[in-house]
Amino acid sequence: MNKNSFPNGDRIAMMQTLVRIVDSGSLSAAAAQMQTSQPTVSRRLQVLEQLLGVKLIQRTTHSMKLTDDGERCYQHARKLIEQWQIMEDELRGVRDEPVGVLRVRAPHAFGQDQLIGPLGDYLQRYRQTSVEWTLNDHSPDFIPEGVDCAIHVGAVTDPSVVAVLLAEVPRIVVAAPSLLAGHDPLKQIGDLAQLPWLALNSFYRNEVTLTHRDSGEAYRFDIAPRLSTDSLYAVRKAALNGVGVAMLSSWVVKQDLEQGALIPLMPTWRAAPLPIYLLYPYASYYPARLRKFLELMKEVMPRITGANAPTT
């Protein structure tokens, strides 16, 4: 096989394929992320190995491992692809004009309710982009899953990602009138612990901490939830049905409060707001579609229903 018979564009595609195979963990995952077939990915890998004259990946029925040559090739390929992308963007004059597909992970409830408006603004501004909008309440493993960035609600515990604080979401303790009718009137903060509770276990499970609006005094008490779930909408629905007290983001119960379907409890005591972050992996170069998305999220997030500008 004549090494000079491979066009440079094909060589770049083959290196991109190698990087995607390694990052995603398998040929099938790489094919799905590249929107092609597994035989195509396998053929590109074979041609690259023939071109270089070395074995890059050792494959068995159940495992895949880079050879020493494969590891060196992978590291060089990542750098070459990054430099190639920078060169293409500069020569085409698109460093500040987003193009291509942006892959975003967002929480289920927030992503299908509050974020569709800002997402539409992004697509309206940048007509050469498209977005893959995946709803999942867990932060992604960015490179293996082929995700560019993620909207994340709550504390960030992964030190390997860039976390940009966009806004904060106030939370409020609420209950249905039907639930309160079966219990003694609430006179002091300690009375909350005597009510049945619902837990949104992504953010609180077995205890609740509230802070007094004026004095700053903190009060913590244990709960034994009647219902525990990771679904914001399930907790809201259970609260509306009088199953228990819930501590929910203010935006999700705004209409319920206005209609009297839910009632705020001990309004002078507040739960800590939930931070909203944009997460993305560290890199020396970020495409315009990601940079512009970050700029837009920082601009619009504090203005969406129920969100406030960061206090820190």
Side-chain angles (χ1 to χ4, degrees):
M1 182 175 294
N2 184 356
K3 296 182 179 182
N4 292 325
S5 65
F6 294 93
N8 287 335
D10 288 348
R11 298 186 187 199
I12 294 294
M14 285 186 287
M15 287 189 291
Q16 289 172 329
T17 300
L18 172 66
V19 169
R20 188 65 69 178
I21 292 170
V22 176
D23 288 347
S24 66
S26 70
L27 271 68
S28 58
Q33 291 181 13
M34 300 180 75
Q35 297 183 331
T36 187
S37 65
Q38 183 171 334
T40 297
V41 169
S42 180
R43 179 177 57 80
R44 288 178 184 172
L45 175 61
Q46 292 173 3
V47 172
L48 181 60
E49 289 178 328
Q50 293 169 5
L51 173 65
L52 298 175
V54 296
K55 190 70 174 176
L56 299 176
I57 294 178
Q58 294 287 357
R59 284 186 289 165
T60 65
T61 305
H62 304 291
S63 67
M64 183 187 77
K65 182 180 179 181
L66 280 173
T67 65
D68 290 343
D69 289 326
E71 178 64 35
R72 286 192 292 270
C73 183
Y74 167 75
Q75 296 299 336
H76 284 300
R78 286 189 65 87
K79 294 176 184 177
L80 285 169
I81 291 168
E82 183 176 288
Q83 292 301 314
W84 181 271
Q85 184 64 59
I86 293 172
M87 181 192 70
E88 278 192 333
D89 285 355
E90 287 181 344
L91 292 178
R92 292 176 179 174
V94 298
R95 284 187 60 84
D96 292 314
E97 180 59 32
V99 295
V101 180
L102 182 70
R103 297 173 176 86
V104 185
R105 178 79 60 81
H108 268 106
F110 208 56
Q112 66 182 294
D113 194 306
Q114 296 298 290
L115 295 180
I116 295 300
L119 179 61
D121 291 342
Y122 175 83
L123 293 171
Q124 185 70 21
R125 288 189 193 184
Y126 306 115
R127 299 302 183 94
Q128 298 184 65
T129 64
S130 59
V131 174
E132 289 185 6
W133 189 249
T134 303
L135 300 182
N136 189 310
D137 291 323
H138 301 287
S139 295
D141 193 355
F142 289 94
I143 293 175
E145 296 180 29
V147 176
D148 295 308
C149 63
I151 304 293
H152 177 84
V153 178
V156 178
T157 58
D158 185 356
S160 68
V161 299
V162 180
V164 179
L165 182 60
L166 301 174
E168 293 178 339
V169 177
R171 290 187 290 172
I172 185 170
V173 177
V174 296
S178 60
L179 175 71
L180 300 176
H183 293 80
D184 294 333
L186 301 175
K187 297 180 180 180
Q188 57 187 5
I189 186 64
D191 294 340
L192 283 178
Q194 309 308 314
L195 296 173
W197 272 79
L198 309 169
L200 182 60
N201 56 33
S202 304
F203 305 113
Y204 68 98
R205 294 172 180 265
N206 302 307
E207 67 177 47
V208 170
T209 300
L210 302 174
T211 303
H212 195 274
R213 178 185 60 198
D214 301 321
S215 68
E217 175 190 357
Y219 184 81
R220 189 201 69 81
F221 56 94
D222 294 330
I223 60 172
R226 298 294 309 282
L227 172 67
S228 180
T229 176
D230 62 353
S231 169
L232 180 62
Y233 285 143
V235 173
R236 170 184 170 269
K237 189 67 174 180
L240 286 168
N241 289 341
V243 178
V245 178
M247 186 164 64
L248 292 170
S249 299
S250 58
W251 67 267
V252 81
V253 295
K254 181 177 183 293
Q255 187 173 1
D256 301 321
L257 294 171
E258 292 171 350
Q259 296 174 349
L262 291 174
I263 297 173
L265 306 184
M266 295 291 174
T268 58
W269 291 84
R270 297 176 173 177
L274 293 175
I276 306 173
Y277 291 94
L278 183 72
L279 309 181
Y280 51 91
Y282 284 99
S284 58
Y285 172 75
Y286 299 106
R289 58 182 176 273
L290 176 57
R291 290 186 279 112
K292 294 299 183 181
F293 185 75
L294 171 58
E295 290 177 10
L296 180 65
M297 289 296 105
K298 291 171 69 175
E299 173 191 334
V300 304
M301 190 66 75
R303 301 202 303 264
I304 68 174
T305 302
N308 297 328
T311 56
T312 56

